[in-house]
Structures are given as structure tokens and as C-alpha cells.
Amino acid sequence: MNLKGRDFLKLLDFTPEEIGGLIDLASELKAKKKNGIAHNTLQGKNIALIFEKTSTRTRCSFEVAGYDLGMGVTYLDPTGSQIGKKESIRDTARVLSSIYDGIEYRGYGQEIVEELAKYSKVPVWNGLTNEFHPTQILADFLTIKEHFGKLKGIKLVYMGDARYNMGNSLMVGCAKMGLDFVACAPKKYFPDQALIEKCQEIAKETGATLSFEENPNVAVKNANVIYTDVWVSMGEPTEVWKERIEDLSPYQVNKALMEKADKNAVFMHCLPAFHDMKTTVGKEMGEKFGRTEMEVTDEVFESSQSIVFAEAENRMHTIKAVMLSTL
Ligand code: CP
Ligand code: NVA
């Protein structure tokens, strides 16, 4: 596998072998880190991390992975640079890529990160856009592989807003890697038809299956992984909360739903999650709409079936694999 000089913008751009190679490399790097074996082979290189939306996991993963590889790291926060306000993406790409060896970008439309990559001389990595969150999927799949020993044939059910970054990316990832993907939501939250068709084509080659189901009880039958994400994503207006709660409450991941899946099923979530009232937004929306939990109950989140923190840790190892492969 040679990914030197490549951008990492969406999983659609990579073959199943390349995605599998990144997951295996992440596993090797994880073992090195756990055993205290230095892997600072990118000493002398520097990377810039652009965040137009906030982050805990992705930012910290890029930073620590960068340090472990021996690199210098600059973090550009959502307000602290000229990007977008006084300087175009095209100009930013040309400036930063003459100073840095790699650029991470988290922001709004996928077209922005694609444009950044087009005008950058160095690899650009997508740290989340409205449409895709590809580094998250590498971490999710490493976690599934660690837990079940395989990816092919695993049934993954995504509950909730399946037309946004997580639903889209999981569908693409499952199609590429031969999983059985089910999006479970009211019809209007199913992924975009053109993307579904693209993924159906890929699935034909890999043996994956894709289905779209409105009934949660039907969807989760024999499921190995139940996955969900927040009902309202970063950058969306607060006015959509009411509609989302009304539409998606029947799709909440709770104990009764977990019991309808395979008995060894696990719960996954990219995080952050609204599973209690211990956050400002969770508390505010909870009080406004008379709810103590949203997309997942605290009981499931804290249960032994939940592997969300293993999943979060794997963000760092997989992001490290992406940077090491492309630089
Ligand atoms: N899962 C994820 O991308 O988390 P952050 O928003 O904290 O980076
Ligand atoms: N769908 C969420 C994912 C966060 C990691 C968002 O875009 O806010």
C-alpha cells in the first residue's frame, strides 16, 4: 500500500485494500504506543490543524498522533485565523502548504475541504464536514475488528439522522468493507439517493448489503452493532431540535431496543453524546422538551455493551496511521 502524497477526504476515494491497510497499520501503531516503542519517524515535519467547528477527540487525536510521530503541530481555532473571513480557501491552501507538510480541516461543506486539497501542495485530511467524517469510520472499524475479530458480515444498524456525516460515512465504509449496513430512521432521514446508488454499486463488488428501514424492531434483529449519533449536528440551527426530537425519539437506543439485537451486540457512538443532563445543551434542550436523555439512554451508554470509549481511543491510532501513510 502506497498512499504517499494522497489526501484523505472521503472513504469513496480509497479501495477496500487501502482502508484495510490503514486499519491494520493503526493496530500496529497502537501496539507500539502501548509497548513504549518510539515511532517518531516524521521528525522535522510540521502540520496545521484547521478547526472551523469545535472538537475534543479529533483535535486531540491529530495533536497527540502528530507529537508521537515527532512532528510540530499548529492548531488554528474557529476564530483565530483569517480563513474564510479575510482569506479564501484557495489562498489559505497555497499559504499553508508552503509552510506545512500536511493540513487537517474540520468545517462545513465537503466542497471546502475538496477545494483546500485541490490548491494544497501537501496532503489534506478531512477532520469532519457536514457530509463525511472518514477518520471516525477508521476508528469505528478498528474497534469492531478488535471486538469481533472481523468486519465482513458484521451487521451494523445506524439509528437516527442517516443523511448527515455519520450516516453517510458509515454507509460508505460498510459498502467498502463488506458489512451489512442498515439505516433506521423515518424516510426523510435516509441518505441521499445518489450516494445510496454509488454505495450499492460498491456493495456488489464487496458482498456488503445496504438496507433502509423505518421500523426499529425490524432493523435491529440479529444486529451486531447498534450505532447512533446526535440528532442535531454542529452548525445546525437550534430551531431544528423540536422537529428532531419528535421525529427521532422512536429511534432512541435504549435497553428494550438493545435486547432485540443479537445477544452479543455492542453499542457505538462517535461522541459527544446526549445521554444525560450533564451538559449545557443537554440540560437546556432536555428541560425545554421534557427529556432527560436523547439519542441514547444513560443505561445503555454506561452498560457493558457500550464500547464508546475504546472507539474514542482508536481515533488517535487511526489518525496516526493516516498521517504516517500519506506523509
Ligand atoms: N467524534 C468526534 O469527531 O468528536 P469531536 O467532535 O470531539 O472531535
Ligand atoms: N454528526 C455530528 C458528529 C460529531 C462527531 C456533528 O456533525 O456534529
Side-chain angles (χ1 to χ4, degrees):
M1 179 179 76
N2 181 3
L3 301 180
K4 296 276 174 258
R6 293 266 302 271
D7 300 310
F8 190 77
L9 305 179
K10 55 188 185 300
L11 293 177
L12 284 171
D13 301 337
F14 291 83
T15 65
E17 293 68 33
E18 288 168 341
I19 297 169
L22 286 168
I23 294 169
D24 291 344
L25 177 60
S27 194
E28 281 169 36
L29 291 165
K30 182 172 180 175
K32 280 194 176 152
K33 172 99 176 169
K34 301 269 173 207
N35 292 311
I37 301 169
H39 43 284
N40 51 343
T41 52
L42 295 180
Q43 240 166 9
K45 293 197 187 290
N46 297 291
I47 56 170
L49 312 180
I50 306 171
F51 280 84
E52 299 211 84
K53 289 174 178 170
T54 52
S55 168
T56 298
R57 274 146 293 273
T58 310
R59 175 200 173 167
C60 296
S61 295
F62 270 100
E63 286 210 22
V64 172
Y67 300 140
D68 284 353
L69 292 169
M71 297 193 286
V73 181
T74 303
Y75 170 68
L76 296 162
D77 76 13
T79 55
S81 75
Q82 315 288 22
I83 300 165
K85 296 166 284 289
K86 286 171 67 184
E87 191 155 37
S88 69
I89 288 296
R90 188 176 164 165
D91 292 354
T92 303
R94 290 181 286 180
V95 171
L96 291 182
S97 69
S98 66
I99 300 174
Y100 292 94
D101 300 285
I103 304 168
E104 179 277 353
Y105 177 85
R106 165 173 287 199
Y108 295 86
Q110 179 71 17
E111 71 283 358
I112 303 173
V113 76
E114 301 271 352
E115 166 139 329
L116 188 66
K118 184 173 168 193
Y119 293 103
S120 165
K121 294 183 293 211
V122 300
V124 171
W125 310 297
N126 180 357
L128 176 147
T129 59
N130 296 345
E131 292 84 356
F132 293 114
H133 195 6
T135 62
Q136 178 72 49
I137 309 308
L138 294 181
D140 296 345
F141 283 11
L142 172 60
T143 314
I144 292 172
K145 212 170 163 193
E146 287 173 342
H147 192 87
F148 292 104
K150 61 173 187 176
L151 291 173
K152 260 199 195 322
I154 290 292
K155 177 173 175 180
L156 184 151
V157 181
Y158 179 83
M159 305 288 301
D161 186 358
R163 60 191 176 164
Y164 219 73
N165 43 26
M166 284 311 305
N168 288 342
S169 306
L170 282 167
M171 178 171 71
V172 176
C174 288
K176 289 269 180 187
M177 303 310 284
L179 287 81
D180 296 318
F181 173 80
V182 184
C184 184
K187 261 199 187 69
K188 70 176 186 197
Y189 294 94
F190 288 167
D192 170 62
Q193 193 54 37
L195 185 62
I196 292 180
E197 282 163 23
K198 214 176 262 180
C199 290
Q200 297 282 24
E201 282 303 307
I202 299 166
K204 272 191 216 153
E205 303 281 310
T206 63
T209 64
L210 310 177
S211 48
F212 306 89
E213 175 57 57
E214 289 191 275
N215 182 336
N217 297 335
V218 173
V220 302
K221 201 163 176 285
N222 300 322
N224 304 112
V225 178
I226 311 269
Y227 200 116
T228 193
D229 181 19
V230 290
W231 290 338
V232 177
S233 286
M234 287 182 278
E236 293 198 282
T238 42
E239 294 76 65
V240 302
W241 270 99
K242 184 174 181 295
E243 187 191 23
R244 296 292 165 78
I245 288 176
E246 281 166 11
D247 290 346
L248 297 174
S249 285
Y251 299 86
Q252 181 192 60
V253 181
N254 51 40
K255 190 160 178 262
L257 191 78
M258 290 303 293
E259 281 169 357
K260 292 184 185 114
D262 184 82
K263 65 175 192 332
N264 297 317
V266 295
F267 169 71
M268 296 181 75
H269 191 309
C270 54
L271 306 182
F274 291 120
H275 59 95
D276 57 26
M277 301 273 274
K278 293 179 186 140
T279 62
T280 328
V281 177
K283 188 167 184 295
E284 188 191 334
M285 292 305 150
E287 280 168 0
K288 192 163 171 193
F289 298 105
R291 309 275 312 228
T292 52
E293 303 147 324
M294 298 286 177
E295 73 274 10
V296 56
T297 60
D298 198 48
E299 189 178 20
V300 168
F301 187 89
E302 297 293 354
S303 72
S304 57
Q305 284 177 292
S306 171
I307 56 169
V308 296
F309 295 109
E311 187 184 355
E313 181 195 326
N314 282 338
R315 295 298 309 286
M316 202 282 282
H317 307 299
T318 43
I319 281 171
K320 192 184 283 176
V322 169
M323 293 200 288
L324 185 59
S325 303
T326 54
L327 288 182

